[in-house]
């Protein structure tokens, strides 16, 4: 049980670090997708959902086919609990139904590293995340850990983020 608890905790920590690195940048991927994306502010639409739709149209006009939108979980929550004004029904579907994983045909990826009020649109055919080494855990003693009754645990995942084409990502 202890082994599984450590594995789950390390896996979550490594996943959170990977998310932050991909969005905001890290060693070998300076800037992340937010910096590589073309900034876009809608002059017509004030709601995030409508601004995302405008971003899709703009990218399609430029020859891209966006298929992924990354949102902050709080923004996604406000989108899926939005209600109609006439009869107070949920616009995303039945309240007791499955939470949607798509928005207007775009696969939704939730990322706490995306700033609230923003969205990252991506044509995934122009980006790739190669896994160089799968998630691994190593346990060892470092320095005088043994005499202090300590143990060092390392959780690691090695990836190679690839971004091929300027304009294939848009930060709304």
């Amino acid at each position: 049980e202890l082994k599984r608890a450590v594995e789950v905790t390390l896996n979550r920590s490594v996943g959170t670090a990977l998310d932050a690195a991909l969005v905001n940048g890290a060693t070998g991927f300076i800037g992340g997708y937010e910096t590589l994306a073309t900034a876009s502010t809608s002059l017509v639409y004030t709601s995030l959902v409508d601004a995302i739709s405008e971003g899709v149209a703009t990218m399609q006009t430029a020859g891209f086919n966006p298929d992924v939108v990354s949102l902050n979980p709080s923004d996604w929550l406000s989108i899926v609990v939005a209600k109609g004004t006439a009869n107070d029904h949920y616009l995303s579907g039945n309240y007791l139904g499955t939470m949607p994983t798509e928005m207007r045909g775009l696969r939704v990826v939730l990322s706490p590293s995306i700033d609230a009020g923003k969205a990252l649109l991506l044509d995934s055919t122009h980006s790739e995340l190669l896994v160089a080494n799968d998630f691994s855990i190593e346990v060892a003693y470092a320095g005088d850990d043994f005499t202090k009754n300590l143990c060092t645990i390392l959780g690691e995942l090695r990836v190679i983020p690839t971004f091929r084409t300027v304009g294939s990502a848009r930060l709304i």
Side-chain angles (χ1 to χ4, degrees):
E1 185 61 30
L2 177 61
K3 177 182 181 266
R4 182 71 183 139
V6 169
E7 184 177 293
V8 167
T9 301
L10 286 176
N11 204 346
R12 182 180 51 81
S13 296
V14 168
T16 301
L18 176 61
D19 176 66
L22 289 174
V23 173
N24 303 314
T27 305
F29 193 53
I30 306 302
Y33 283 112
E34 276 192 340
T35 303
L36 295 170
T38 304
S40 175
T41 302
S42 178
L43 301 175
V44 179
Y45 302 103
T46 56
S47 80
L48 184 58
V49 174
D50 294 337
I52 291 169
S53 296
E54 180 186 41
V56 169
T58 303
M59 288 179 71
Q60 288 171 335
T61 301
F64 296 103
N65 189 23
D67 56 342
V68 175
V69 61
S70 185
L71 295 162
N72 186 288
S74 63
D75 288 329
W76 183 238
L77 175 65
S78 66
I79 290 168
V80 297
V81 299
K83 296 179 182 177
T85 55
N87 60 5
D88 290 336
H89 66 282
Y90 285 95
L91 298 175
S92 63
N94 185 350
Y95 172 74
L96 297 176
T98 306
M99 286 284 282
T101 58
E102 285 192 353
M103 181 176 72
R104 298 186 177 173
L106 302 170
R107 182 170 47 101
V108 174
V109 175
L110 301 180
S111 169
S113 299
I114 300 287
D115 295 331
K118 294 185 178 183
L120 182 64
L121 275 173
L122 186 67
D123 180 343
S124 65
T125 60
H126 296 267
S127 298
E128 192 171 2
L129 182 64
L130 302 169
V131 177
N133 290 342
D134 285 330
F135 178 70
S136 64
I137 297 175
E138 295 180 20
V139 180
Y141 295 113
D144 60 350
D145 280 357
F146 182 76
T147 58
K148 292 182 177 180
N149 202 23
L150 299 173
C151 191
T152 301
I153 301 174
L154 171 68
E156 186 174 57
L157 171 70
R158 293 179 183 251
V159 298
I160 304 168
T162 306
F163 184 78
R164 293 188 182 94
T165 312
V166 174
S168 65
R170 187 165 295 269
L171 183 63
I172 309 296

